[in-house]
């Protein structure tokens, strides 16, 4: 399978704990995006990388969230001191170039108890 | 503020019927309009996309109609099948950044056999 892969698929954590998610984009795609999706809503933009550079970050994104993309390959999204409001599906997507379609992974579903 | 407004929220169609989902936007910088299909537990998958230089694009049973002056676009699913039952999202991307996709809130489509 050469699509976008995300790990883990599900994560249950207690409030206050830190969690980290991984995304492996399609290999030739240099653009990588993180989105968050809550029930009944469309994906909401979190952040975007072009190669290893994080070029854009949502103003709505708490400073508890941090993302990295070392060497321009896989990416990680870390949430520190999780809160119940962080419960959502976290989607990773990649694209080949400017204004080309996003290819999404199947997401990581986070539940904060 | 919702950048892309989508309706209806839910839609029930008989097998063989036509499903129509509408989206509207305000930002005239948007110049790429994809539609995504999402099944439960999966990430959104690109269905069909259009750029504003054409008024219609057809791929199989799926057609996008685009009205630039009205800033509206719609997805038509002809001969709807039970396997089309999913959530559909419209999206838009602006040319001035090319980095961020704005999604509608989704339409849950149910096709009754």
């Amino acid at each position: 399978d050469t699509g976008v892969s995300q790990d883990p698929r599900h994560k249950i954590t207690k409030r206050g704990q830190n969690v980290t998610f991984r995304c492996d984009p399609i290999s030739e795609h240099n653009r990588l995006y993180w989105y968050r999706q809550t029930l009944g809503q469309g994906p909401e933009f979190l952040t975007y990388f072009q190669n290893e550079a994080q070029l854009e970050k949502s103003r709505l994104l708490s400073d508890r969230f941090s993302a990295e993309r070392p060497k321009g390959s896989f990416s990680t999204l870390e949430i520190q001191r999780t809160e119940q409001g962080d419960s959502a599906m976290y989607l990773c997507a990649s694209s080949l170039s400017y204004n080309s379609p996003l290819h999404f992974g199947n997401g990581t579903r986070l539940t904060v108890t | 503020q919702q950048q892309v407004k989508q309706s209806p929220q839910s839609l029930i169609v008989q097998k063989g019927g036509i499903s129509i989902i509408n989206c509207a936007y305000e930002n005239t910088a948007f110049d790429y309009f994809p539609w995504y299909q999402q099944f439960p537990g999966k990430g959104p998958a690109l269905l069909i996309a259009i750029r504003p230089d054409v008024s219609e694009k057809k791929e199989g049973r799926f057609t996008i109609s685009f009205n630039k002056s009205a800033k509206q676009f719609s997805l038509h699913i002809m001969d709807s099948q039970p396997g089309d039952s999913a959530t559909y999202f419209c999206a838009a991307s602006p040319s001035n950044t090319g980095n961020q996709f704005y999604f509608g809130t989704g339409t849950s489509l149910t096709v009754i056999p």
Side-chain angles (χ1 to χ4, degrees):
Chain A
D1 189 322
T2 57
V4 177
S5 63
Q6 293 188 244
D7 184 70
R9 290 297 314 277
H10 304 275
K11 179 71 177 178
I12 300 174
T13 191
K14 293 187 176 175
R15 186 167 54 92
Q17 297 294 305
N18 298 345
V19 294
T20 300
F21 311 141
R22 177 181 169 121
C23 170
D24 287 90
I26 294 173
S27 58
E28 61 267 29
H29 287 185
N30 61 16
R31 294 174 174 238
L32 186 147
Y33 303 75
W34 284 99
Y35 279 80
R36 176 170 60 192
Q37 186 177 25
T38 54
L39 199 62
Q41 297 296 316
E44 176 191 26
F45 173 77
L46 294 179
T47 190
Y48 152 76
F49 290 84
Q50 183 166 332
N51 299 313
E52 67 276 6
Q54 187 174 18
L55 297 184
E56 194 169 340
K57 192 173 175 180
S58 170
R59 282 170 283 179
L60 303 175
L61 198 60
S62 161
D63 58 8
R64 296 183 295 105
F65 288 68
S66 62
E68 293 182 342
R69 192 183 182 196
K71 302 179 183 177
S73 55
F74 71 93
S75 176
T76 58
L77 177 69
E78 181 183 17
I79 309 174
Q80 296 182 326
R81 305 181 303 281
T82 52
E83 302 173 356
Q84 287 189 318
D86 298 331
S87 295
M89 173 79 85
Y90 289 84
L91 293 164
C92 177
S94 66
S95 71
L96 185 61
S97 63
Y98 157 79
N99 250 359
S100 59
L102 298 181
H103 297 263
F104 283 91
N106 285 328
T108 294
R109 179 163 296 284
L110 173 66
T111 302
V112 181
T113 61
Chain B
Q1 181 186 2
Q2 193 69 32
Q3 295 267 0
V4 179
K5 296 182 180 178
Q6 183 172 347
S7 63
Q9 186 175 1
S10 62
L11 183 60
I12 300 174
V13 173
Q14 293 277 356
K15 179 182 174 182
I18 302 173
S19 304
I20 301 174
I21 304 170
N22 301 299
C23 285
Y25 64 97
E26 288 296 326
N27 188 343
T28 54
F30 289 155
D31 70 349
Y32 179 65
F33 302 90
W35 283 89
Y36 285 84
Q37 179 189 56
Q38 186 175 29
F39 293 103
K42 300 288 187 181
L46 179 69
L47 196 60
I48 186 173
I50 197 168
R51 299 190 189 275
D53 52 342
V54 297
S55 60
E56 185 173 284
K57 184 174 181 180
K58 184 176 181 179
E59 290 184 1
R61 296 184 295 109
F62 301 92
T63 300
I64 300 179
S65 296
F66 184 81
N67 186 329
K68 188 173 181 178
S69 60
K71 291 183 282 190
Q72 295 175 347
F73 57 110
S74 59
L75 175 69
H76 292 64
I77 306 174
M78 312 300 286
D79 187 27
S80 299
Q81 299 297 312
D84 297 330
S85 297
T87 300
Y88 292 81
F89 294 96
C90 60
S93 176
S95 58
N96 55 355
T97 68
N99 299 334
Q100 187 173 147
F101 285 73
Y102 297 89
F103 285 81
T105 50
T107 296
S108 176
L109 171 65
T110 302
V111 181
I112 300 172

